Amino acid sequence: MLTQGEDVEAQALRKRGWSISAIARHLGRSRPTIRAYLNGERVPGQRRRSGADPFEPYAEYCRLRLDAESGDPHVWATTLFDELAGLGYAGGYSTFTRALRARGLRPVCERCAHAGGPVEYVRIEHPPGVETQWDWLELPDPPARWGWGKGAHLLVGTLPYSGIWRGVLAESEDQPHLIEALRAVGERLGGVSAEWRFDRMATVCDPGSGEVSASFAAVARHYGVIVRICPSRRGWRKGSVEKANHVAAQRWWRTVGEELSPGQAQGTLDEWCRRRGDIRIRRIDGGRVSVAELARREALRPLPAQAFPAVLEVERVVSAQALVSFRGNFYSVPPGHAGEVMGVRHRLGSGVLEVVTAGGAVLAAHERAVDHAGVVIEAAGHVAALEAKVLAARARLGGGGPCPHKTRRPLSPAARAEADRLRGTGVGAAAAPVADFAAYAAAARPLTPGSSVPDARP
């Protein structure tokens, strides 16, 4: 490969009349190389590829993924690289990004190009095991099959010393869901730190004063942690979890398929954190250490044996089979409530799930199954009552099954008599012929002796 300077020198020597052999000896290159550059077959500063381009078979896939109309032009290169690795791409990440730039596959977003500006922050020291930062990440447009409306919610917790983070999907951001998700994330992180840091969310503190609420203070005492509230409008104070939110939204949520259930989506997030998030390399004390190695240095306390007994309740519509859904499973209720809205109540730490009416009356109680197991939990009494109701309804309709539709049913004698009557009156049939006009004249004029009716016919 010739550099820009060597190419300029070769072109100048050629114009002076030097032969290709003389130029090759002068520059210490081979004659075919000099000839290729002089003829414009090669470009200075670019090394000619010795073999096939490993990126070429995947170029069309990347173009479709980054298309501004049908794809996602903002998908991260790291996410796209993970997808190509799963499809068999064997090249390195730097080779992959260089191929994206060389081919101009990512379109330019004018809105993003002119947004933002330089921002300065203060570096904060985070000793191991001291602080866990928490934040809700609102995820727009969840799959329709989830039935979660226009948004899902992800509680993200991160340990800023090591940078390890985990997230748990939730249907709501109310306090019971927050308490449940706090324990679930703590189990994934491996324990409890000394302090929990939140922004001014209403389920933790008073948004105006920053004072911890009495209901959440009980939770903090249960887990033995100190609650720290970020100053107002100082979101950067928990920048570690903010960055984790950004990564979760870009590298995971943007690629969640429509066919996934909430349990399957949660599984893909946990797998991504283990396989991708924990292998990140950080520089600590002049050395390079992975996030997983740093996480083992976090001095975390074990979680309490029992979860905080918060009562979690969500609304569900009873199906035609007298079932309500909860966390990927179905639970039976007595018949006669199809289409009604019921509350599904569960006390954290217990194994019982209750279905309650709008007035708070317990309609059914079941042993809670493992979330997203896809099982149907039915009480024997509910099944028997539903079968009895269905059979009774069929008996009232004249036996089991619908009416036969291919049986011959000729006209009854009464129907035929009515049809004959209608034919006689001219209803529904051709009218009877009109009588001759002479008959009408005879009926209108009384006859006298010797009189005759004139012939009215022409």
Side-chain angles (χ1 to χ4, degrees):
M1 180 185 70
L2 294 185
T3 64
Q4 294 288 352
E6 291 174 333
D7 180 69
V8 171
E9 187 175 359
Q11 298 288 347
L13 294 177
R14 184 61 173 172
K15 290 181 179 180
R16 295 180 187 178
W18 284 38
S19 65
I20 292 179
S21 298
I23 297 174
R25 287 193 299 269
H26 176 72
L27 296 178
R29 306 289 184 176
S30 65
R31 287 177 295 176
T33 298
I34 298 299
R35 184 180 294 107
Y37 279 95
L38 293 177
N39 295 335
E41 299 173 1
R42 296 183 61 179
V43 179
Q46 295 184 7
R47 187 177 299 277
R48 185 173 58 184
R49 185 174 297 278
S50 58
D53 184 3
F55 180 80
E56 187 60 34
Y58 307 94
E60 180 63 16
Y61 175 82
C62 293
R63 187 191 66 80
L64 294 174
R65 285 289 281 119
L66 296 170
D67 183 71
E69 297 296 332
S70 60
D72 184 5
H74 293 89
V75 65
W76 284 9
T78 50
T79 303
L80 192 55
F81 178 74
D82 291 343
E83 295 179 7
L84 292 193
L87 297 175
Y89 177 70
Y93 179 72
S94 59
T95 304
F96 162 72
T97 54
R98 183 169 58 250
L100 288 181
R101 292 191 300 268
R103 289 170 170 80
L105 294 178
R106 186 186 295 277
V108 178
C109 180
E110 296 296 334
R111 292 179 59 184
C112 295
H114 297 88
V119 180
E120 296 180 346
Y121 297 102
V122 176
R123 186 175 182 272
I124 301 174
E125 293 293 336
H126 295 287
V130 173
E131 183 177 280
T132 305
Q133 297 180 5
W134 302 95
D135 196 17
W136 281 112
L137 173 63
E138 297 182 1
L139 303 172
D141 191 28
R145 59 178 297 191
W146 294 12
W148 287 9
K150 296 182 179 180
H153 310 275
L154 184 76
L155 182 69
V156 180
T158 180
L159 301 174
Y161 168 75
S162 61
I164 188 173
W165 65 271
R166 292 293 186 269
V168 170
L169 281 167
E171 188 175 350
S172 171
E173 293 185 8
D174 60 15
Q175 193 173 76
H177 281 91
L178 171 65
I179 296 172
E180 181 187 37
L182 285 172
R183 183 177 182 88
V185 174
E187 292 172 348
R188 288 166 170 80
L189 290 176
V192 182
S193 62
E195 300 177 0
W196 283 354
R197 181 169 293 279
F198 298 88
D199 58 12
R200 300 201 170 197
M201 58 178 66
T203 52
V204 175
C205 66
D206 178 77
S209 64
E211 289 294 329
V212 179
S213 63
S215 59
F216 194 79
V219 180
R221 285 191 292 268
H222 177 80
Y223 287 100
V225 298
I226 301 173
V227 178
R228 303 293 188 188
I229 305 299
C230 289
S232 180
R233 294 181 294 277
R234 296 293 189 273
W236 53 265
R237 179 57 184 82
K238 55 181 182 62
S240 180
V241 71
E242 294 290 351
K243 183 59 180 178
N245 287 349
H246 187 43
V247 173
Q250 299 298 327
R251 297 205 62 182
W252 170 68
W253 182 249
R254 294 185 82 100
T255 62
V256 171
E258 188 72 22
E259 74 283 357
L260 297 182
S261 66
Q264 292 170 332
Q266 181 66 59
T268 61
L269 176 60
D270 294 339
E271 181 68 15
W272 185 93
C273 289
R274 288 190 297 267
R275 295 186 57 187
R276 297 296 180 185
D278 294 354
I279 65 173
R280 291 174 291 132
I281 301 299
R282 301 190 67 183
R283 294 186 178 274
I284 301 293
D285 299 330
R288 292 166 55 87
V289 187
S290 69
V291 168
E293 176 62 28
L294 288 174
R296 286 190 281 270
R297 304 179 190 177
E298 300 271 11
L300 301 179
R301 294 179 291 105
L303 289 162
Q306 296 294 327
F308 183 81
V311 178
L312 187 148
E313 185 171 345
V314 294
E315 291 185 345
R316 292 292 186 268
V317 178
V318 182
S319 69
Q321 293 79 26
L323 299 172
V324 294
S325 63
F326 182 75
R327 303 285 176 86
N329 301 311
F330 296 90
Y331 300 87
S332 67
V333 298
H337 300 281
E340 297 181 13
V341 178
M342 297 290 176
V344 180
R345 179 190 298 168
H346 171 64
R347 183 179 295 275
L348 302 181
S350 71
V352 178
L353 182 141
E354 297 177 339
V355 182
V356 298
T357 63
V362 178
L363 195 63
H366 298 277
E367 182 178 352
R368 181 179 173 181
V370 178
D371 289 350
H372 309 292
V375 298
V376 179
I377 308 299
E378 294 179 302
H382 297 167
V383 176
L386 182 62
E387 290 179 353
K389 182 178 180 180
V390 173
L391 293 177
R394 290 187 175 182
R396 289 194 301 270
L397 295 175
C403 297
H405 298 287
K406 297 182 180 180
T407 305
R408 187 175 61 85
R409 291 287 190 270
L411 294 176
S412 65
R416 282 197 293 268
E418 179 65 13
D420 293 339
R421 186 187 69 79
L422 294 174
R423 294 190 190 97
T425 59
V427 178
V434 179
D436 191 273
F437 183 77
Y440 286 97
R445 298 178 182 177
L447 297 176
T448 57
S451 65
S452 61
V453 179
D455 192 358
R457 290 177 295 180

